[in-house]
Amino acid sequence: MTELLSNYLGGTCVMGSGAGTPLFDPVLGNELVRVDATGLDLAAGFDFARSQGGQALRAMTYRERAAMLGAIVKVLQANRDAYYDIAMQNSGTVKNDSAVDIDGGIYTLGYYAKMGESLGDQKYLLDDEPATLGRDKEKGVAFVSQHILTPTHGVALLINAFNFPSWGLWEKAAPALLSGVPVIVKPGTSTAWLTQRMVRDVVEAGVLPAGALSVICGSSAGLMDQLKAFDVVSFTGSADTAKIIRSHPAVTERSVRVNIEADSVNSAWLLPDADASSDSFKSLVREVVNEMRVKSGQKCTAIRRIFVPEAIYNVASEAIFAKLAAIAVGNPRSESVKMGSLVSRAQFNTVLLGLAHLKTQAETLFDGSTLALVDVDPAVACVMAPTLLGARDPDGNSLVHNVEVFGPVATLIPYKDLAHAKALIARGEGSLVASVYSGNSEMASQAALDIAFAHGRVHVITPDVAQIHTGHGNVMPQTLHGGPGRAGGGEELGGKRGLAFYHRRSGLQVSQSIAQALKVST
Ligand code: NAP
């Protein structure tokens, strides 16, 4: 039997009482570890986090909590090699892809450590300027409305997807902890090992108050039932599970605040000014191939739909084909390999099914199944090479705008003119991100404004920033992450904006002198 991983709850390390769910190496097929949450006293664990963890965190200032995030960064940096090893074994990722998750998480923590320092030695945040409600001119006094943000007195339950066991944890936990709210994380089971190991390292290093950070690995059963009025839940995962979370009595009856990051059919859009010889065309091709390769397309932000002027549909197909055909796909342990595995057999089968579904309305422009895989047994490994589809009739194609295949699959789509492209992009019904490629800044800016209503982020690549942009799929903590409609309607990160979810906004109606004193002490 492999090792059963511990949970951390109620300020202590606690084992599940069941046999556990095995986690596998998706490349070699062997069992790695097991996770189990059977028999945990969830009610006591949540209460401990609320009372002990919450109180201790709220007793600190933003600056002190920022320093605490800095201490977490140091712990994680000291153990980076172990994390890379776990990621390769359990997620089947090549080193560069593990970095997106591991170093992306550490960077996000570091960003909030620095940002939090600038919030100073206070325990609340002011929201906007005071508004006058009444005035006594003779006495020279005023009665004003001043909005403030104070940390919520509950726990933040973070339910995460399998694709980002590190970044998915820290992009939520950093703003929560900085806000003074204790965290209980439930990672996606198939890759829970990395999350568990990071939490274990941080808890055992003693850099956080007891109860500030807990991890429950394994079944989600009963977690939502624990949530009370001042708790919040931040969920990342599929639209189907999001529906279950949204309709849980914790949300519908106890008004537990919920943030949903769900699936998304993201777009890359080459504007009509760009022909096949332009820098914009090259940027688009590079970015599309990158998004299909990185983490084998298992990124919520990955490009799924590629919009190009219809005159260059064929040449775009050929350019992307040439780059996809040159990618070495296979065992991440092999030096030459640039694209590793999907995370599990279940995920592999789901991607195959989704691909077959999309193919019923699309042509295949590059068939990944024709590529030879490096150093893997195809009968065992969940390794899949990228596939490029084409939708020559995007108006009649209902699937390409609706079906998110969570793997290395994207579809090339020709459009007639700007209005046509905008209408097609909007058929995604709300996405996390779209990228726009153009040599014409004015046109690019207008295009971004026109599609912003349907996106959490619009990433505009003009030739002047072609070498310095941060990438279509990379979520930067400075910028909002989330999207309207089918993307879940959530908002995360975006610098200081990311703290709002973990605070309660209240309007104080007070004398002007009290309002001034509140301001002076911030
Ligand atoms: P999932 O099946 O919905 O699972 C997400 C999380 O919810 C997992 O931790 C899962 O636990 C848990 N869960 C399942 N049923 C639950 C329930 N009844 N109550 C509470 N929690 C429950 O999604 P996934 O397959 O892990 O992730 C892939 C999806 O996530 C894709 O659609 C992708 O687009 C989306 N995603 C979105 C973002 C974003 O930021 N918008 C980021 C990454 C991924 P188990 O693992 O134990 O089932």
Side-chain angles (χ1 to χ4, degrees), residues 160 162-163 186 189 236-238 241 261-263 300 404 406 481:
N160 277 341
F162 63 78
N163 59 332
K186 186 270 182 257
T189 295
T236 295
S238 65
T241 313
E261 299 290 342
D263 58 24
C300 52
E404 180 209 47
F406 207 59
H481 175 59

Side-chain angles (χ1 to χ4, degrees), residues 33 60 109 182 250 289 305 330 336 356 378 399 432 461 482 494 518:
V33 289
M60 300 162 81
L109 267 166
V289 172
R305 297 180 294 160
S336 66
L399 297 179
L432 294 169
I461 304 179
L518 285 169

Side-chain angles (χ1 to χ4, degrees), residues 157 159 224 227 231-235 245 256-259 501:
L157 172 63
I159 303 178
M224 289 293 295
L227 297 179
D231 297 332
V232 300
V233 55
S234 185
F235 169 81
I245 304 274
V256 165
R257 188 182 282 168
V258 59
N259 190 74
F501 181 71

